[in-house]
Amino acid sequence: MGKNNIPPLEKGAILYGKHMYKIKRVLGKGVSGITYLAESQVYDGDTPMFTPYTIKEYCPAELCTRRDNGDIEMNGALADDFLRGMEAFKEKAIKSCKKESGDNGEKEVVEARQTVYFITERPTKQD
């Protein structure tokens, strides 16, 4: 297992779920995927409010590549391995969503771009 050399989603890329999430930057890369900082914008009257989120993308480098449009493409001979891993990633994320969130904020699982994303609200710093 080596370093994940899959190119990340571009800054400004959008994912849709409960909210519209806009990718701000990469937080890290691991063997099974990429973690991003994103934000969602909602309005309080005329005032925009931004909520930060962490998005974990399932994209193990040895099992897939990224197309120019941002979608993930499975490596043909390893498609079954990719699908099994993606299902396990999804199941773990769903279990995490079902736990009491308490102070952990919103969580959701989104299937998009031919893969799965686990989205969690980031705690904001209290002044």
Side-chain angles (χ1 to χ4, degrees), residues 89-108:
F89 178 90
K90 180 179 169 183
E91 286 176 21
K92 185 176 179 182
I94 288 170
K95 283 180 185 176
S96 180
C97 288
K98 289 181 180 177
K99 291 181 180 177
E100 291 296 322
S101 61
D103 292 331
N104 296 333
E106 270 187 276
K107 297 178 184 179
E108 77 170 304

Side-chain angles (χ1 to χ4, degrees), residues 68-88:
D68 289 341
N69 68 0
D71 288 358
I72 292 295
E73 181 175 6
M74 295 178 278
N75 291 341
L78 301 172
D80 288 342
D81 292 338
F82 178 89
L83 292 171
R84 276 192 297 277
M86 186 171 73
E87 192 59 32

Side-chain angles (χ1 to χ4, degrees), residues 27-124:
L27 293 173
K29 288 179 144 190
V31 175
S32 66
I34 302 171
T35 302
Y36 303 93
L37 173 64
E39 69 182 11
S40 178
Q41 178 180 345
V42 295
Y43 284 87
D44 182 8
D46 291 337
T47 306
M49 312 262 309
F50 297 92
T51 302
Y53 288 85
T54 298
I55 299 179
K56 294 181 181 180
E57 176 185 40
Y58 178 74
C59 60
E62 66 276 1
L63 302 178
C64 63
T65 57
R66 187 175 312 278
R67 294 180 179 161
D68 289 341
N69 68 0
D71 288 358
I72 292 295
E73 181 175 6
M74 295 178 278
N75 291 341
L78 301 172
D80 288 342
D81 292 338
F82 178 89
L83 292 171
R84 276 192 297 277
M86 186 171 73
E87 192 59 32
F89 178 90
K90 180 179 169 183
E91 286 176 21
K92 185 176 179 182
I94 288 170
K95 283 180 185 176
S96 180
C97 288
K98 289 181 180 177
K99 291 181 180 177
E100 291 296 322
S101 61
D103 292 331
N104 296 333
E106 270 187 276
K107 297 178 184 179
E108 77 170 304
V109 178
V110 172
E111 293 184 57
R113 299 182 180 268
Q114 310 303 314
T115 193
V116 174
Y117 297 87
F118 179 42
I119 302 170
T120 57
E121 187 175 350
R122 289 176 63 98
T124 54

